[in-house]
Amino acid sequence: MRISKSRFCPMMIKRKRQYSAGSSNLTAWFNKYVDKADVSCWNSIIADLARSGNSVEALRAFWSMRKLSLRPNRSSFPCAIKSCSALLDLHSGKQAHQQALVFGFESDLFVSSALIDMYSRCGLLRDAWTLFDEIPHRNVVSWTSIITGCVQNDHTRQALLLFKHLLLIQQIDYEDVSLDPVVLVSVLSACSRVSSNRLTQCVHGLVMTRGFDGDLGVGNTLMGAYSKCGQLRLSRKVFDGMAQRDLVSWNSMIAIYAQSGLSNEALQVFYGMVKEGGFLYNAVTLSAVLLACAHAGALLVGQCIHDQVVKMGLEENVIVSTSIIDMYCKCGRVDMARKAFDSTREKNVKTWTAMVAGYGMHGRAKEALEVFYKMISHGIKPNYITFVSLLNACSHAGLLEEGWYWFNTMNHEFGVEPGIEHYGCMVDLLGRAGDLNKAYDLIKGMAMRPDSVVWGSFLGACRIHKNVKLAEISARKLFELDPSNCGYYILLSNIYADAGRWEDVERMRVLMKNRGLVKPPGFSVVELKGMVHLFLVGDREHPQHKKIYEYLETLIIKLQEVGYAPDVTSVLHDVDEEEKEMTLRVHSEKLAVAFGIMNSVPGTTIQIIKNLRVCADCHTVIKLISKVVNRQIVIRDSKRFHHFRDGLCSCGDFW
DNA sequence: TTAGGGTTAG
């Protein structure tokens, strides 16, 4: 096929629409006719690659064009520079800056704004300032760029000052509505970070008077600003009220829900996006959806998304592949996560950390350490979270020596100073290993004020090792730090009960009642044939409940034949009056397990997600069930995974 | 053409 030069660009635009999802085909097509392309064609492909998030390719195209000795014009630069800032590639950014100087476009308003943006995103706010100062006639875009630059670099005050200055030089006050809404919104995001309520309201009022119909960016920014303030409903309101939405609008809404743990809402928005059509989701959408699947433990949906990722050729995207690894780990399939991990060519700190954390939450600390060593040997520098994950892995498996070693080494060998989370892991590790005094000394020697997580792990350790004195110390701190969390009251009450101090048990019950605290009901979720079944403690709502209880009865009899005796400690010690009926009632995970076995093919794995931690009795029962019915049972509790198989649990009864 | 969307822990 021969294409004349004049027809080339319209053809390309048509192609663009077809390949909006992934641009590898587009570049292949472009490459075929590359010798016919003029500067505007190149600009067009650079802009398209940059817009579709393929910054690496966009930059490559820019430099290819330069190699061909085509003379770039003023529109060649902004997209190339934008790609540098998307990649945080300062080196290329400086090269592009140099090129812009060579061709005399450095004071072009679009080019200089892009450069300001690039420098401030790369953390060089000073260079951004120099550029800004040198612009002879600044427009609203220049101002916006520097203000957002300040916001991104956490110079919020400066951003607000600039905004006020801008208002002054425009000789308008807060009531004037002629100011560009983009500036208003960028300041709104700045305000949302410092929670400067008055100004937030003021700007919000202006945006509202001005209206943002037809201005997608303003609506999208507002959604983000509201979610940062924790105002999810307002984000949704903006989203619902938008006259038109683009890919970013949908992605923002999905991401906001997914990050807030509202997985169902995130998935609903995603389904809406697919259904309403016209929107081809991209890598950003899928990584947000994968996060929702990870939170919800929705393995089946997660697998479908994984298939989509493969179909769209997005496996090489680091963020997407990291999300896939995380999703498989949190949905109970570490080995599948490992498979995805091994087949990922590009890995960053987060990818490695996700795998370390994944092994950790499944109690496979040795493999977590192995991945960690491999990471170091690949020259990847572990970060703060890597060490939280590593220490967490050690604490789940009771690897005291390794944990202690890395806790002491992380600072001088990798320059990561132990933070409160690392202390939390160590207190957990030492405490559970029985060295309560050493754990207490560690807390007392902390550089920062211990938080409820630290005291909470210590209290948990006191329960295991039945130390009433230290338990009281930590409980006192916890009642100050987190008075509305009833878990701590129950824990302390159980410790008193273990020691036979029934008066104190009663005192705890009264205390909880006076403070109006109610224990949240435990529930378990099991996914079968694409349907999600939820069970509450002593559930009688499920249509099959009669059959489930009958089946559970027969199971328990079988278990008693192999030596099971109910562990009533977790029943007797519960402070809640109603909980005393627990002998008659049944914990949700037992119901879910029974239901799962009844309704699935023999030999298949049963997977359950629980909101609280598994109690000792359920742990014993499920271990035995796994042996009696010859099934693998996987439970994700609020902290970690338990893999029950052949009468044993992966946690080695250490949890 | 400025602004706005995604990954790792607890």
Side-chain angles (χ1 to χ4, degrees):
Chain A
M1 182 169 70
R2 284 186 66 85
I3 302 169
S4 67
K5 226 172 179 180
S6 60
R7 283 183 59 205
F8 189 80
C9 285
M11 285 275 311
M12 192 154 69
I13 288 159
K14 200 174 160 195
R15 286 279 160 171
K16 245 191 245 177
R17 287 200 196 107
Q18 286 174 11
Y19 293 116
S20 54
S23 59
S24 52
N25 293 332
L26 173 60
T27 27
W29 187 85
F30 178 78
N31 287 339
K32 210 168 161 187
Y33 303 104
V34 68
D35 49 322
K36 293 201 168 28
D38 59 9
V39 177
S40 56
C41 285
W42 278 100
N43 287 350
S44 168
I45 190 112
I46 295 167
D48 186 66
L49 287 168
R51 241 196 312 274
S52 55
N54 291 287
S55 311
V56 178
E57 304 256 335
L59 271 181
R60 205 174 285 156
F62 178 74
W63 294 118
S64 309
M65 177 186 76
R66 289 296 303 120
K67 269 187 204 151
L68 291 171
S69 310
L70 286 170
R71 191 184 164 81
N73 60 21
R74 56 197 292 274
S75 12
S76 311
F77 287 97
C79 282
I81 298 169
K82 207 177 150 190
S83 304
C84 299
S85 54
L87 294 167
L88 299 178
D89 184 351
L90 186 62
H91 180 71
S92 306
K94 282 185 173 169
Q95 280 183 330
H97 186 177
Q98 202 58 39
Q99 291 282 308
L101 282 169
V102 171
F103 291 96
F105 294 123
E106 79 279 7
S107 57
D108 177 273
L109 281 172
F110 292 138
V111 177
S112 59
S113 299
L115 284 168
I116 290 173
D117 181 61
M118 186 273 294
Y119 279 118
S120 51
R121 272 181 206 259
C122 292
L124 294 182
L125 193 58
R126 260 193 209 169
D127 295 65
W129 268 109
T130 318
L131 274 163
F132 179 75
D133 285 336
E134 284 169 359
I135 303 173
H137 303 289
R138 299 167 189 133
N139 69 356
V140 82
V141 180
S142 335
W143 280 94
T144 312
S145 303
I146 194 72
I147 291 178
T148 353
C150 290
V151 173
Q152 279 159 356
N153 285 281
D154 287 326
H155 290 239
T156 317
R157 270 199 191 160
Q158 206 157 20
L160 292 174
L161 282 174
L162 280 169
F163 177 62
K164 282 180 187 165
H165 186 69
L166 180 62
L167 292 173
L168 266 178
I169 56 167
Q170 294 208 343
Q171 293 191 322
I172 51 168
D173 58 20
Y174 290 133
E175 298 305 314
D176 195 296
V177 287
S178 64
L179 194 60
D180 193 301
V182 174
V183 183
L184 297 175
V185 170
S186 88
V187 175
L188 175 71
S189 334
C191 299
S192 66
R193 293 194 194 184
V194 285
S195 70
S196 158
N197 281 339
R198 208 175 64 87
L199 202 52
T200 306
Q201 277 169 4
C202 195
V203 177
H204 181 65
L206 279 173
V207 175
M208 286 305 171
T209 353
R210 166 75 193 254
F212 52 84
D213 279 352
D215 196 336
L216 277 166
V218 179
N220 293 342
T221 312
L222 264 177
M223 283 165 60
Y226 281 135
S227 77
K228 272 178 210 140
C229 307
Q231 303 273 11
L232 257 63
R233 275 191 197 164
L234 285 175
S235 297
R236 183 58 196 247
K237 207 175 158 191
V238 173
F239 177 76
D240 285 337
M242 284 166 92
Q244 45 169 315
R245 298 174 189 138
D246 66 355
L247 190 58
V248 178
S249 327
W250 287 99
N251 287 352
S252 301
M253 201 61 245
I254 295 171
I256 287 168
Y257 278 138
Q259 286 162 357
S260 318
L262 296 169
S263 313
N264 277 334
E265 283 80 353
L267 289 174
Q268 286 309 316
V269 176
F270 174 62
Y271 296 145
M273 175 184 188
V274 177
K275 217 175 170 183
E276 272 181 40
F279 282 102
L280 209 51
Y281 39 84
N282 65 358
V284 179
T285 327
L286 295 185
S287 39
V289 175
L290 283 165
L291 179 65
C293 295
H295 277 152
L299 180 66
L300 295 180
V301 185
Q303 275 172 326
C304 288
I305 303 295
H306 187 184
D307 290 344
Q308 269 310 306
V309 168
V310 176
K311 266 186 206 159
M312 291 167 71
L314 295 171
E315 298 142 292
E316 287 305 313
N317 180 314
V318 213
I319 298 181
V320 172
S321 53
T322 305
S323 309
I324 289 173
I325 293 164
D326 181 51
M327 181 274 294
Y328 278 128
C329 288
K330 289 187 180 147
C331 290
R333 298 286 191 276
V334 223
D335 295 320
M336 286 176 86
R338 182 56 190 257
K339 220 173 150 190
F341 178 79
D342 286 337
S343 62
T344 308
R345 249 178 288 162
E346 198 191 338
K347 298 184 183 82
N348 63 16
V349 212
K350 293 185 180 182
T351 321
W352 288 94
T353 306
M355 202 60 243
V356 173
Y359 276 130
M361 67 180 89
H362 287 272
R364 288 160 67 168
K366 275 190 186 159
E367 280 140 308
L369 280 161
E370 216 170 86
V371 173
F372 177 74
Y373 294 138
K374 220 173 165 184
M375 168 184 182
I376 298 170
S377 70
H378 275 69
I380 307 279
K381 188 179 169 285
N383 67 11
Y384 191 93
I385 295 173
T386 316
F387 281 108
V388 177
S389 314
L390 187 71
L391 295 178
N392 195 37
C394 293
S395 102
H396 280 327
L399 300 185
L400 186 59
E401 224 169 274
E402 283 86 348
W404 202 232
Y405 173 78
W406 286 110
F407 181 71
N408 287 321
T409 318
M410 55 189 277
N411 195 3
H412 42 89
E413 211 165 287
F414 296 98
V416 182
E417 218 172 295
I420 198 148
E421 290 89 348
H422 304 110
Y423 278 97
C425 293
M426 288 316 293
V427 168
D428 199 53
L429 187 48
L430 286 166
R432 271 199 298 203
D435 208 337
L436 288 177
N437 290 323
K438 210 168 180 182
Y440 189 39
D441 287 342
L442 190 68
I443 297 177
K444 285 191 286 190
M446 278 170 67
M448 63 293 280
R449 195 170 166 236
D451 64 357
S452 59
V453 179
V454 174
W455 285 117
S457 348
F458 190 57
L459 184 62
C462 292
R463 156 108 213 246
I464 298 171
H465 300 288
K466 304 188 195 310
N467 188 322
V468 182
K469 206 179 135 199
L470 290 174
E472 282 178 328
I473 294 175
S474 47
R476 207 170 300 139
K477 297 279 182 189
L478 283 164
F479 296 158
E480 269 172 37
L481 289 165
D482 195 0
S484 58
N485 188 327
C486 41
Y488 305 132
Y489 297 82
I490 294 170
L491 211 49
L492 183 61
S493 153
N494 285 344
I495 294 169
Y496 283 136
D498 277 334
R501 288 168 59 170
W502 302 106
E503 279 171 24
D504 289 314
V505 174
E506 179 61 16
R507 193 166 54 84
M508 280 296 116
R509 199 186 71 82
V510 174
L511 191 62
M512 277 183 72
K513 203 181 167 191
N514 288 347
R515 294 191 178 176
L517 300 175
V518 184
K519 189 185 170 187
F523 66 81
S524 297
V525 175
V526 57
E527 192 187 34
L528 269 183
K529 295 167 195 149
M531 286 280 285
V532 172
H533 301 263
L534 185 134
F535 294 91
L536 287 167
V537 191
D539 203 317
R540 294 195 184 272
E541 296 295 316
H542 195 276
Q544 287 190 37
H545 75 264
K546 272 190 187 163
K547 277 188 185 169
I548 296 172
Y549 280 92
E550 278 168 22
Y551 182 62
L552 200 56
E553 268 315 297
T554 59
L555 264 181
I556 300 281
I557 292 168
K558 272 190 197 166
L559 300 190
Q560 281 165 341
E561 282 167 9
V562 290
Y564 162 69
D567 176 1
V568 286
T569 46
S570 13
V571 177
L572 277 176
H573 297 174
D574 245 317
V575 285
D576 197 337
E577 269 306 310
E578 268 180 83
E579 294 293 312
K580 286 189 182 160
E581 294 171 23
M582 278 305 300
T583 37
L584 303 173
R585 295 162 48 155
V586 181
H587 276 167
S588 60
E589 54 266 51
K590 287 195 188 108
L591 295 173
V593 167
F595 174 75
I597 296 170
M598 285 163 62
N599 289 284
S600 61
V601 184
T604 49
T605 303
I606 310 287
Q607 180 146 325
I608 284 151
I609 298 170
K610 225 207 135 188
N611 65 333
L612 306 174
R613 305 217 71 179
V614 189
C615 83
D617 185 53
C618 287
H619 199 260
T620 315
V621 166
I622 296 168
K623 273 199 293 188
L624 290 171
I625 291 179
S626 75
K627 191 173 183 175
V628 170
V629 301
N630 194 23
R631 290 280 196 118
Q632 199 180 336
I633 300 163
V634 181
I635 298 191
R636 183 178 95 175
D637 75 9
S638 59
K639 287 242 167 125
R640 59 169 297 162
F641 277 90
H642 299 264
H643 293 256
F644 298 91
R645 189 183 212 163
D646 204 24
L648 295 171
C649 177
S650 63
C651 72
D653 298 337
F654 188 88
W655 90 101

